[in-house]
mmCIF file of all heavy atoms in Angstrom:
data_model
loop_
_atom_site.group_PDB
_atom_site.id
_atom_site.type_symbol
_atom_site.label_atom_id
_atom_site.label_comp_id
_atom_site.label_asym_id
_atom_site.label_seq_id
_atom_site.Cartn_x
_atom_site.Cartn_y
_atom_site.Cartn_z
ATOM 1 N N PHE A 7 0.395 17.238 6.548
ATOM 2 C CA PHE A 7 0.603 17.783 7.887
ATOM 3 C C PHE A 7 0.164 19.236 7.963
ATOM 4 O O PHE A 7 0.220 19.983 6.989
ATOM 5 C CB PHE A 7 2.088 17.676 8.231
ATOM 6 C CG PHE A 7 2.635 16.265 8.234
ATOM 7 C CD1 PHE A 7 3.188 15.754 7.050
ATOM 8 C CD2 PHE A 7 2.595 15.490 9.335
ATOM 9 C CE1 PHE A 7 3.726 14.482 7.009
ATOM 10 C CE2 PHE A 7 3.085 14.193 9.297
ATOM 11 C CZ PHE A 7 3.639 13.694 8.151
ATOM 12 N N MET A 85 -5.613 11.313 -3.143
ATOM 13 C CA MET A 85 -7.034 11.588 -3.098
ATOM 14 C C MET A 85 -7.656 11.188 -1.750
ATOM 15 O O MET A 85 -8.467 11.922 -1.150
ATOM 16 C CB MET A 85 -7.777 10.856 -4.242
ATOM 17 C CG MET A 85 -7.393 11.401 -5.606
ATOM 18 S SD MET A 85 -8.048 10.389 -6.938
ATOM 19 C CE MET A 85 -9.800 10.785 -6.832
ATOM 20 N N ALA A 108 -16.428 5.898 -8.294
ATOM 21 C CA ALA A 108 -17.685 5.952 -9.096
ATOM 22 C C ALA A 108 -18.402 7.276 -9.018
ATOM 23 O O ALA A 108 -18.815 7.854 -10.041
ATOM 24 C CB ALA A 108 -18.600 4.770 -8.732
ATOM 25 N N ILE A 148 -12.867 14.354 -27.431
ATOM 26 C CA ILE A 148 -13.162 15.511 -26.597
ATOM 27 C C ILE A 148 -11.918 16.251 -26.124
ATOM 28 O O ILE A 148 -11.778 17.460 -26.187
ATOM 29 C CB ILE A 148 -14.061 15.151 -25.403
ATOM 30 C CG1 ILE A 148 -15.391 14.634 -25.886
ATOM 31 C CG2 ILE A 148 -14.253 16.339 -24.473
ATOM 32 C CD1 ILE A 148 -16.239 14.030 -24.775
ATOM 33 N N HIS A 194 -4.452 37.736 -3.400
ATOM 34 C CA HIS A 194 -3.757 36.562 -4.048
ATOM 35 C C HIS A 194 -2.389 36.973 -4.506
ATOM 36 O O HIS A 194 -1.366 36.251 -4.298
ATOM 37 C CB HIS A 194 -4.560 36.059 -5.225
ATOM 38 C CG HIS A 194 -5.921 35.563 -4.888
ATOM 39 N ND1 HIS A 194 -6.892 35.155 -5.811
ATOM 40 C CD2 HIS A 194 -6.512 35.307 -3.646
ATOM 41 C CE1 HIS A 194 -7.953 34.764 -5.210
ATOM 42 N NE2 HIS A 194 -7.760 34.859 -3.884
ATOM 43 N N SER A 244 14.346 37.153 -7.102
ATOM 44 C CA SER A 244 12.965 37.232 -6.606
ATOM 45 C C SER A 244 11.997 37.913 -7.639
ATOM 46 O O SER A 244 10.882 37.379 -7.856
ATOM 47 C CB SER A 244 12.880 37.981 -5.312
ATOM 48 O OG SER A 244 13.505 37.203 -4.296
ATOM 49 N N GLY A 249 7.401 37.364 -11.176
ATOM 50 C CA GLY A 249 6.786 37.574 -12.502
ATOM 51 C C GLY A 249 6.176 36.314 -13.048
ATOM 52 O O GLY A 249 5.072 36.293 -13.583
ATOM 53 N N ALA A 306 20.162 38.292 6.763
ATOM 54 C CA ALA A 306 21.037 37.333 7.470
ATOM 55 C C ALA A 306 21.472 37.836 8.857
ATOM 56 O O ALA A 306 21.615 37.096 9.806
ATOM 57 C CB ALA A 306 22.263 37.012 6.630
#
Side-chain angles (χ1 to χ4, degrees):
F7 301 91
M85 294 173 69
I148 295 171
H194 298 172
S244 293

